[in-house]
Amino acid sequence: MKDRRLPQHIMDMPQIPRAIYTSIYAKRWDDTNYFISSIGMPGCGKSTSLLKMAYELQVDPVTLERNFDVEQQVVFSVREFEKRVQATNEKLEPGKVVIYDEIEIDSNARGFDAISKQLELVVSTMRFKKNIIGVSLPHERQLLKSVRRLRNARLDCKFVNHAQGFTWAKLYNLVYDMTADTHNNSNKEAKNYFPRFNLQTANGIRPFKIKGLKVKLPPKHIIKPYKKMKSEFLNDFYAKQIAYWDKEDSKKVDDGVNFSTACEWIDKYKDELVYKGKVEPILLADQLKISESKARGYATAYFRKKEIKKVKSMTYMD
Protein backbone atom coordinates (compact mmCIF):
# COMPACT_ATOMS: atom_id res chain seq x y z
CA MET A 1 0.00 0.00 0.00
CA LYS A 2 1.60 3.27 -1.10
CA ASP A 3 1.86 6.07 1.44
CA ARG A 4 -0.26 8.75 -0.24
CA ARG A 5 0.15 11.39 2.43
CA LEU A 6 1.16 14.86 1.30
CA PRO A 7 3.83 16.69 3.31
CA GLN A 8 2.29 19.19 5.68
CA HIS A 9 4.28 22.10 4.23
CA ILE A 10 2.74 21.44 0.79
CA MET A 11 -0.78 21.22 2.22
CA ASP A 12 -0.20 24.55 3.98
CA MET A 13 0.77 26.37 0.77
CA PRO A 14 -1.54 28.84 -0.98
CA GLN A 15 -3.80 27.23 -3.61
CA ILE A 16 -1.70 27.78 -6.73
CA PRO A 17 1.70 26.52 -5.48
CA ARG A 18 -0.08 23.72 -3.59
CA ALA A 19 -1.74 22.54 -6.80
CA ILE A 20 1.55 22.65 -8.75
CA TYR A 21 3.67 20.91 -6.12
CA THR A 22 1.00 18.29 -5.43
CA SER A 23 0.82 17.28 -9.10
CA ILE A 24 4.61 16.85 -9.24
CA TYR A 25 4.87 15.11 -5.88
CA ALA A 26 2.20 12.57 -6.89
CA LYS A 27 4.36 11.23 -9.75
CA ARG A 28 6.02 8.82 -7.32
CA TRP A 29 2.66 7.16 -6.69
CA ASP A 30 2.51 6.33 -10.40
CA ASP A 31 5.94 4.66 -10.17
CA THR A 32 7.52 7.13 -12.56
CA ASN A 33 9.87 10.09 -12.51
CA TYR A 34 9.37 13.77 -13.28
CA PHE A 35 11.69 15.54 -15.72
CA ILE A 36 11.70 19.34 -16.01
CA SER A 37 14.05 21.71 -17.81
CA SER A 38 14.64 25.27 -16.69
CA ILE A 39 15.50 27.68 -19.51
CA GLY A 40 16.24 31.37 -19.93
CA MET A 41 18.93 33.99 -20.32
CA PRO A 42 21.85 34.28 -17.86
CA GLY A 43 20.80 35.73 -14.52
CA CYS A 44 17.09 35.02 -14.93
CA GLY A 45 16.88 32.51 -12.04
CA LYS A 46 17.01 29.12 -13.82
CA SER A 47 19.01 27.28 -11.19
CA THR A 48 17.52 29.17 -8.27
CA SER A 49 14.03 28.11 -9.34
CA LEU A 50 15.04 24.45 -9.59
CA LEU A 51 16.60 24.67 -6.13
CA LYS A 52 13.38 26.06 -4.70
CA MET A 53 11.34 23.26 -6.27
CA ALA A 54 13.82 20.67 -5.03
CA TYR A 55 13.67 22.10 -1.51
CA GLU A 56 9.88 21.77 -1.39
CA LEU A 57 9.58 18.36 -3.10
CA GLN A 58 12.43 16.39 -1.52
CA VAL A 59 11.24 14.85 1.77
CA ASP A 60 12.09 12.05 4.14
CA PRO A 61 9.76 9.15 3.14
CA VAL A 62 8.80 8.49 6.77
CA THR A 63 8.59 11.90 8.42
CA LEU A 64 7.79 13.83 5.21
CA GLU A 65 10.12 16.58 6.39
CA ARG A 66 12.23 18.44 3.81
CA ASN A 67 15.70 16.92 3.41
CA PHE A 68 17.16 18.14 0.09
CA ASP A 69 21.00 18.01 0.20
CA VAL A 70 22.58 20.44 -2.27
CA GLU A 71 26.07 18.98 -2.06
CA GLN A 72 24.85 15.47 -2.84
CA GLN A 73 22.05 16.23 -5.29
CA VAL A 74 23.30 19.07 -7.51
CA VAL A 75 25.79 17.98 -10.19
CA PHE A 76 27.68 19.69 -13.01
CA SER A 77 28.49 16.73 -15.27
CA VAL A 78 26.50 14.00 -16.97
CA ARG A 79 28.67 11.34 -15.32
CA GLU A 80 27.78 12.58 -11.85
CA PHE A 81 24.15 12.88 -12.91
CA GLU A 82 24.12 9.25 -14.00
CA LYS A 83 25.75 8.13 -10.74
CA ARG A 84 23.19 9.98 -8.59
CA VAL A 85 20.22 8.55 -10.47
CA GLN A 86 21.67 5.06 -10.49
CA ALA A 87 22.32 5.21 -6.73
CA THR A 88 18.72 6.17 -5.96
CA ASN A 89 16.81 3.56 -3.97
CA GLU A 90 13.29 3.84 -5.40
CA LYS A 91 11.74 2.04 -2.42
CA LEU A 92 13.42 4.03 0.33
CA GLU A 93 13.68 7.44 -1.35
CA PRO A 94 10.95 7.91 -3.99
CA GLY A 95 10.94 11.42 -5.44
CA LYS A 96 14.64 11.98 -4.81
CA VAL A 97 15.76 15.10 -6.66
CA VAL A 98 18.79 15.32 -8.95
CA ILE A 99 19.64 18.69 -10.53
CA TYR A 100 22.04 18.79 -13.48
CA ASP A 101 23.26 22.39 -13.53
CA GLU A 102 25.41 24.32 -16.03
CA ILE A 103 24.68 21.63 -18.63
CA GLU A 104 25.90 23.86 -21.46
CA ILE A 105 29.47 23.89 -20.09
CA ASP A 106 29.67 20.09 -19.88
CA SER A 107 28.09 19.89 -23.32
CA ASN A 108 30.53 22.37 -24.84
CA ALA A 109 33.37 20.19 -23.57
CA ARG A 110 31.95 16.81 -24.57
CA GLY A 111 29.52 17.78 -27.32
CA PHE A 112 25.77 18.27 -27.00
CA ASP A 113 24.99 15.10 -28.94
CA ALA A 114 27.11 12.96 -26.61
CA ILE A 115 25.55 14.52 -23.50
CA SER A 116 22.03 14.16 -24.92
CA LYS A 117 22.53 10.49 -25.67
CA GLN A 118 23.69 9.80 -22.13
CA LEU A 119 20.79 11.80 -20.69
CA GLU A 120 18.33 9.93 -22.88
CA LEU A 121 19.67 6.58 -21.73
CA VAL A 122 19.46 7.51 -18.05
CA VAL A 123 16.04 9.17 -18.12
CA SER A 124 14.35 6.63 -20.39
CA THR A 125 15.70 3.49 -18.70
CA MET A 126 15.50 4.60 -15.08
CA ARG A 127 11.96 5.95 -14.84
CA PHE A 128 11.25 3.32 -12.19
CA LYS A 129 13.72 5.13 -9.92
CA LYS A 130 11.01 7.78 -9.37
CA ASN A 131 13.48 10.67 -9.38
CA ILE A 132 12.53 14.28 -9.82
CA ILE A 133 15.05 15.46 -12.43
CA GLY A 134 15.86 19.07 -13.24
CA VAL A 135 18.27 20.43 -15.84
CA SER A 136 19.12 24.08 -16.53
CA LEU A 137 20.29 25.46 -19.86
CA PRO A 138 19.83 28.65 -21.93
CA HIS A 139 18.09 27.07 -24.94
CA GLU A 140 16.11 23.83 -24.91
CA ARG A 141 17.08 23.02 -28.50
CA GLN A 142 20.62 22.47 -27.27
CA LEU A 143 19.28 19.04 -26.30
CA LEU A 144 18.38 16.44 -28.88
CA LYS A 145 14.69 15.93 -29.53
CA SER A 146 14.97 12.38 -28.17
CA VAL A 147 15.79 13.91 -24.78
CA ARG A 148 13.42 16.86 -24.98
CA ARG A 149 10.42 14.62 -25.53
CA LEU A 150 11.14 12.76 -22.28
CA ARG A 151 10.36 15.92 -20.30
CA ASN A 152 7.15 16.45 -18.39
CA ALA A 153 7.50 20.22 -18.24
CA ARG A 154 9.68 23.24 -18.83
CA LEU A 155 10.07 26.31 -16.67
CA ASP A 156 10.68 29.40 -18.79
CA CYS A 157 12.36 31.89 -16.44
CA LYS A 158 11.91 35.53 -17.42
CA PHE A 159 13.51 37.73 -14.75
CA VAL A 160 14.39 38.02 -11.08
CA ASN A 161 12.70 40.50 -8.76
CA HIS A 162 15.46 41.02 -6.21
CA ALA A 163 13.48 43.50 -4.11
CA GLN A 164 10.64 41.07 -3.44
CA GLY A 165 12.68 37.87 -3.65
CA PHE A 166 11.23 35.82 -6.48
CA THR A 167 11.77 34.68 -10.06
CA TRP A 168 8.96 35.34 -12.53
CA ALA A 169 8.47 32.31 -14.76
CA LYS A 170 6.01 30.46 -16.96
CA LEU A 171 5.46 26.76 -16.37
CA TYR A 172 4.43 24.62 -19.34
CA ASN A 173 3.30 21.02 -19.22
CA LEU A 174 4.56 19.14 -22.29
CA VAL A 175 3.00 16.40 -24.40
CA TYR A 176 5.01 15.02 -27.32
CA ASP A 177 3.55 13.17 -30.29
CA MET A 178 4.99 9.66 -30.04
CA THR A 179 3.35 8.43 -33.26
CA ALA A 180 4.99 8.04 -36.67
CA ASP A 181 5.95 11.03 -38.81
CA THR A 182 2.87 10.48 -40.98
CA HIS A 183 0.75 11.72 -38.08
CA ASN A 184 2.67 14.94 -37.72
CA ASN A 185 0.54 17.63 -39.34
CA SER A 186 2.46 20.65 -38.05
CA ASN A 187 5.97 21.85 -37.41
CA LYS A 188 5.42 21.86 -33.66
CA GLU A 189 7.18 18.98 -32.00
CA ALA A 190 5.22 19.16 -28.74
CA LYS A 191 2.01 20.45 -27.25
CA ASN A 192 2.70 22.80 -24.40
CA TYR A 193 0.04 24.19 -22.13
CA PHE A 194 -0.27 26.10 -18.90
CA PRO A 195 -1.23 24.04 -15.83
CA ARG A 196 -4.96 24.04 -15.14
CA PHE A 197 -6.52 23.37 -11.76
CA ASN A 198 -9.87 23.75 -10.02
CA LEU A 199 -9.38 26.50 -7.45
CA GLN A 200 -11.62 27.76 -4.68
CA THR A 201 -12.79 31.34 -5.23
CA ALA A 202 -15.30 33.67 -3.59
CA ASN A 203 -17.81 32.49 -6.21
CA GLY A 204 -17.13 28.80 -5.70
CA ILE A 205 -14.81 26.36 -7.42
CA ARG A 206 -13.79 27.25 -10.96
CA PRO A 207 -11.15 26.15 -13.51
CA PHE A 208 -8.02 28.27 -13.41
CA LYS A 209 -5.15 28.51 -15.92
CA ILE A 210 -1.79 29.40 -14.38
CA LYS A 211 -0.19 31.71 -16.95
CA GLY A 212 2.70 32.76 -14.73
CA LEU A 213 4.07 32.16 -11.28
CA LYS A 214 6.44 33.60 -8.73
CA VAL A 215 9.11 31.13 -7.65
CA LYS A 216 10.42 32.31 -4.31
CA LEU A 217 14.02 32.23 -3.13
CA PRO A 218 15.14 29.03 -1.34
CA PRO A 219 16.39 29.37 2.26
CA LYS A 220 19.99 30.32 3.00
CA HIS A 221 21.04 26.79 3.96
CA ILE A 222 20.22 25.80 0.36
CA ILE A 223 21.64 28.86 -1.42
CA LYS A 224 24.93 29.07 0.52
CA PRO A 225 26.37 25.62 -0.34
CA TYR A 226 25.11 25.95 -3.91
CA LYS A 227 26.95 29.24 -4.39
CA LYS A 228 30.12 27.66 -3.02
CA MET A 229 29.81 24.63 -5.34
CA LYS A 230 29.09 26.77 -8.38
CA SER A 231 31.95 29.14 -7.63
CA GLU A 232 34.40 26.23 -7.34
CA PHE A 233 33.08 24.65 -10.52
CA LEU A 234 33.31 27.86 -12.55
CA ASN A 235 36.76 28.72 -11.22
CA ASP A 236 38.00 25.27 -12.18
CA PHE A 237 36.44 25.60 -15.62
CA TYR A 238 37.90 29.05 -16.10
CA ALA A 239 41.38 27.96 -15.03
CA LYS A 240 41.30 25.08 -17.53
CA GLN A 241 40.08 27.39 -20.29
CA ILE A 242 42.86 29.90 -19.65
CA ALA A 243 45.48 27.14 -19.54
CA TYR A 244 44.18 25.75 -22.81
CA TRP A 245 44.21 29.09 -24.60
CA ASP A 246 47.62 30.02 -23.21
CA LYS A 247 48.90 26.76 -24.66
CA GLU A 248 47.22 27.45 -28.00
CA ASP A 249 48.55 31.00 -28.07
CA SER A 250 52.08 29.76 -27.47
CA LYS A 251 51.76 27.52 -30.52
CA LYS A 252 50.40 30.18 -32.82
CA VAL A 253 51.27 33.84 -32.37
CA ASP A 254 51.04 35.01 -35.96
CA ASP A 255 47.73 36.81 -35.42
CA GLY A 256 49.06 38.59 -32.32
CA VAL A 257 45.84 37.97 -30.40
CA ASN A 258 45.60 36.14 -27.07
CA PHE A 259 42.84 35.84 -24.47
CA SER A 260 43.89 38.95 -22.57
CA THR A 261 43.83 41.16 -25.66
CA ALA A 262 40.50 39.64 -26.69
CA CYS A 263 39.02 40.51 -23.26
CA GLU A 264 40.29 44.08 -23.58
CA TRP A 265 38.74 44.34 -27.03
CA ILE A 266 35.37 42.96 -25.86
CA ASP A 267 35.31 45.37 -22.91
CA LYS A 268 36.06 48.27 -25.25
CA TYR A 269 33.47 47.37 -27.90
CA LYS A 270 30.87 45.68 -25.71
CA ASP A 271 27.94 47.52 -27.32
CA GLU A 272 28.84 46.05 -30.70
CA LEU A 273 29.86 42.54 -29.65
CA VAL A 274 27.51 41.57 -26.82
CA TYR A 275 23.94 40.53 -27.63
CA LYS A 276 21.52 39.19 -25.02
CA GLY A 277 24.30 38.74 -22.51
CA LYS A 278 26.66 36.81 -24.79
CA VAL A 279 29.58 37.71 -27.04
CA GLU A 280 28.93 37.13 -30.74
CA PRO A 281 31.94 35.03 -31.82
CA ILE A 282 31.51 35.71 -35.55
CA LEU A 283 31.74 39.47 -35.01
CA LEU A 284 34.69 39.00 -32.66
CA ALA A 285 36.49 36.83 -35.21
CA ASP A 286 35.90 39.40 -37.93
CA GLN A 287 37.10 42.35 -35.87
CA LEU A 288 40.21 40.63 -34.49
CA LYS A 289 40.96 38.73 -37.72
CA ILE A 290 41.11 35.37 -35.95
CA SER A 291 39.43 32.03 -36.64
CA GLU A 292 35.81 31.52 -35.58
CA SER A 293 36.77 28.52 -33.42
CA LYS A 294 39.28 30.64 -31.53
CA ALA A 295 36.73 33.44 -31.18
CA ARG A 296 34.13 31.01 -29.79
CA GLY A 297 36.60 29.79 -27.18
CA TYR A 298 37.46 33.34 -26.17
CA ALA A 299 33.78 34.33 -26.04
CA THR A 300 32.92 31.40 -23.74
CA ALA A 301 35.88 32.02 -21.44
CA TYR A 302 35.13 35.77 -21.29
CA PHE A 303 31.54 35.15 -20.23
CA ARG A 304 32.60 32.74 -17.48
CA LYS A 305 35.27 35.16 -16.27
CA LYS A 306 32.61 37.82 -15.77
CA GLU A 307 30.25 35.34 -14.13
CA ILE A 308 32.87 34.25 -11.58
CA LYS A 309 33.28 37.86 -10.44
CA LYS A 310 29.56 38.05 -9.67
CA VAL A 311 28.96 34.59 -8.23
CA LYS A 312 30.00 35.34 -4.65
CA SER A 313 27.87 38.46 -4.36
CA MET A 314 24.77 37.30 -6.20
CA THR A 315 21.59 36.45 -4.34
CA TYR A 316 20.12 34.61 -7.31
CA MET A 317 22.03 32.23 -9.53
CA ASP A 318 21.41 31.01 -13.07
Side-chain angles (χ1 to χ4, degrees):
M1 187 73 174
K2 292 185 176 71
D3 185 349
R4 297 184 181 274
R5 293 178 298 156
L6 277 174
Q8 188 62 45
H9 67 271
I10 291 181
M11 291 194 292
D12 292 340
M13 291 178 178
Q15 287 191 81
I16 291 177
R18 182 172 73 237
I20 291 173
Y21 282 113
T22 297
S23 66
I24 300 173
Y25 187 89
K27 285 289 182 181
R28 69 197 67 191
W29 300 333
D30 297 327
D31 294 328
T32 188
N33 60 17
Y34 182 82
F35 183 16
I36 182 172
S37 63
S38 178
I39 64 171
M41 296 303 298
C44 67
K46 297 188 297 295
S47 298
T48 303
S49 298
L50 289 180
L51 287 173
K52 172 62 174 175
M53 296 179 73
Y55 169 69
E56 301 293 0
L57 291 164
Q58 168 88 38
V59 299
D60 181 279
V62 178
T63 66
L64 301 187
E65 296 293 329
R66 301 179 183 94
N67 67 348
F68 177 66
D69 186 339
V70 175
E71 294 179 351
Q72 294 300 316
Q73 294 171 250
V74 175
V75 300
F76 298 96
S77 74
V78 71
R79 288 182 180 177
E80 289 302 314
F81 170 76
E82 186 173 5
K83 289 179 182 177
R84 297 299 195 280
V85 174
Q86 189 174 31
T88 301
N89 187 320
E90 67 274 11
K91 294 182 179 179
L92 299 180
E93 44 191 5
K96 186 173 183 178
V97 179
V98 181
I99 294 176
Y100 182 6
D101 197 23
E102 293 290 353
I103 189 172
E104 68 271 22
I105 292 183
D106 196 26
S107 297
N108 282 331
R110 300 172 185 270
F112 276 101
D113 286 2
I115 295 296
S116 287
K117 288 175 182 176
Q118 285 184 267
L119 273 174
E120 180 184 11
L121 179 64
V122 175
V123 178
S124 62
T125 60
M126 294 186 175
R127 283 185 174 270
F128 70 96
K129 291 285 190 177
K130 308 176 192 175
N131 292 101
I132 295 173
I133 298 167
V135 300
S136 70
L137 66 165
H139 307 287
E140 57 185 356
R141 285 189 178 275
Q142 289 174 315
L143 296 176
L144 294 176
K145 182 178 179 180
S146 58
V147 176
R148 296 200 302 269
R149 68 183 189 178
L150 293 172
R151 295 173 301 159
N152 300 95
R154 76 166 177 267
L155 189 68
D156 189 356
C157 299
K158 299 299 185 182
F159 64 87
V160 175
N161 186 319
H162 294 279
Q164 297 182 26
F166 67 83
T167 295
W168 177 254
K170 292 180 180 291
L171 179 64
Y172 297 90
N173 290 326
L174 303 175
V175 176
Y176 276 78
D177 185 0
M178 298 299 184
T179 57
D181 293 341
T182 52
H183 292 274
N184 187 7
N185 296 319
S186 72
N187 292 324
K188 294 182 179 179
E189 61 181 40
K191 294 178 181 178
N192 63 92
Y193 56 92
F194 294 118
R196 293 170 171 82
F197 300 101
N198 291 323
L199 300 183
Q200 181 68 49
T201 69
N203 298 319
I205 296 176
R206 69 177 181 85
F208 188 84
K209 183 188 298 184
I210 301 174
K211 295 183 178 181
L213 65 151
K214 298 177 180 179
V215 184
K216 293 185 178 180
L217 178 70
K220 290 183 179 179
H221 76 271
I222 297 294
I223 286 290
K224 188 175 180 180
Y226 170 74
K227 289 174 68 175
K228 182 175 182 292
M229 287 175 62
K230 183 165 183 175
S231 179
E232 291 174 351
F233 170 75
L234 290 175
N235 274 299
D236 181 64
F237 166 80
Y238 181 62
K240 289 178 180 177
Q241 284 287 108
I242 296 302
Y244 170 79
W245 286 112
D246 284 346
K247 184 178 179 180
E248 291 297 304
D249 290 339
S250 67
K251 293 178 183 178
K252 183 180 179 181
V253 295
D254 56 309
D255 58 24
V257 178
N258 58 30
F259 180 64
S260 296
T261 57
C263 285
E264 293 174 1
W265 187 270
I266 295 169
D267 287 334
K268 186 176 181 180
Y269 297 102
K270 191 174 297 183
D271 291 342
E272 299 176 24
L273 294 169
V274 178
Y275 177 68
K276 291 187 176 181
K278 290 194 174 184
V279 177
E280 290 292 333
I282 296 177
L283 294 178
L284 182 64
D286 181 63
Q287 291 188 15
L288 294 180
K289 307 304 179 186
I290 59 177
S291 68
E292 288 186 20
S293 61
K294 190 172 184 177
R296 280 194 297 271
Y298 284 163
T300 300
Y302 175 86
F303 174 72
R304 294 305 168 188
K305 178 182 178 182
K306 296 297 183 184
E307 188 174 17
I308 288 167
K309 289 182 179 179
K310 295 187 293 183
V311 71
K312 292 183 180 180
S313 61
M314 287 174 64
T315 302
Y316 289 83
M317 312 300 302
D318 286 348

